[in-house]
Amino acid sequence: MEGWVAAGLVGGIIGAWVAASGVLSSPPALRILVKSMTWRAVGTTQVILLSWLLSGSWDKAFAIGVPDTLVKLLLGMLHERLFQTSALAALSYRRLWKAATWKVAAVSSTIIIATMYGNYNFAIKLGPIDTVFKSLNYYLHELVWDQITWGVLPAPRVTAASASNAHGKRDKKKAA
């Protein structure tokens, strides 16, 4: 039960900051928030269900699922900030490194939390199974959101004149 109180407190603080900051005053920003929240709901539900299936205990499942959600919220923000630093922002294959480092951080946190609330053998089973299912579910989540047009900014129109102008600017930058 303490995990639910902590989750409510963290959610309330984040919600108050978001409301006060005006950061979500546009449909694209709201889309990002709703999409992130739906993914976290899917991820949390999955870790709870897998924990229950592997342990047979709802208490153990929620004891793992609630802290896992809170840790991943904080880890996700830190990971995002880290990849905004100039050194990592300019990294070759940035998306690949970002995805790989996130998967390592996410699976490691799930294994550590599951070890704290279960045992190491249980955690070693949960981590990889969760990773496989989450990869599939994330792909499906993206497919669904690709069909939702709310909050999507229209793509800029590219005309022949603007395309040739863009190439000219790029060529001038190379020459300089």
Side-chain angles (χ1 to χ4, degrees):
M1 190 58 142
E2 295 87 20
W4 289 109
V5 173
L9 182 62
V10 170
I13 291 168
I14 292 171
W17 173 79
V18 166
S21 70
V23 74
L24 297 175
S25 59
S26 69
L30 285 172
R31 176 188 171 87
I32 291 168
L33 176 68
V34 172
K35 185 177 176 183
S36 297
M37 289 173 64
T38 58
W39 171 246
R40 188 59 4 232
V42 168
T44 298
T45 302
Q46 179 182 300
V47 104
I48 289 170
L49 288 175
L50 287 174
S51 296
W52 172 71
L53 287 170
L54 291 172
S55 72
S57 166
W58 282 111
D59 288 341
K60 186 183 239 182
F62 280 100
I64 293 167
V66 172
D68 188 66
T69 298
L70 297 174
V71 167
K72 287 206 175 113
L73 284 170
L74 294 173
L75 253 175
M77 289 189 289
L78 291 172
H79 189 258
E80 196 62 35
R81 291 287 291 169
L82 182 65
F83 271 86
Q84 288 176 351
T85 62
S86 58
L88 293 177
L91 192 63
S92 294
Y93 304 105
R94 179 179 175 274
R95 284 189 191 110
L96 181 63
W97 281 109
K98 190 174 179 184
T101 56
W102 172 250
K103 269 294 154 204
V104 168
V107 101
S108 298
S109 70
T110 299
I111 290 171
I112 290 167
I113 291 165
T115 300
M116 291 169 49
Y117 291 99
N119 61 45
Y120 186 71
N121 290 332
F122 173 79
I124 288 300
K125 288 178 193 169
L126 177 62
I129 293 170
D130 186 54
T131 299
V132 169
F133 279 101
K134 274 207 182 115
S135 297
L136 174 65
N137 284 333
Y138 188 78
Y139 178 77
L140 296 173
H141 185 261
E142 287 296 307
L143 282 177
V144 168
W145 274 93
D146 283 347
Q147 303 305 309
I148 299 170
T149 59
W150 168 72
V152 175
L153 292 174
R157 288 187 52 173
V158 178
T159 63
S162 67
S164 65
N165 189 22
H167 291 296
K169 287 180 185 175
R170 188 173 35 210
D171 293 340
K172 288 178 187 175
K173 285 181 184 177
K174 286 182 183 176

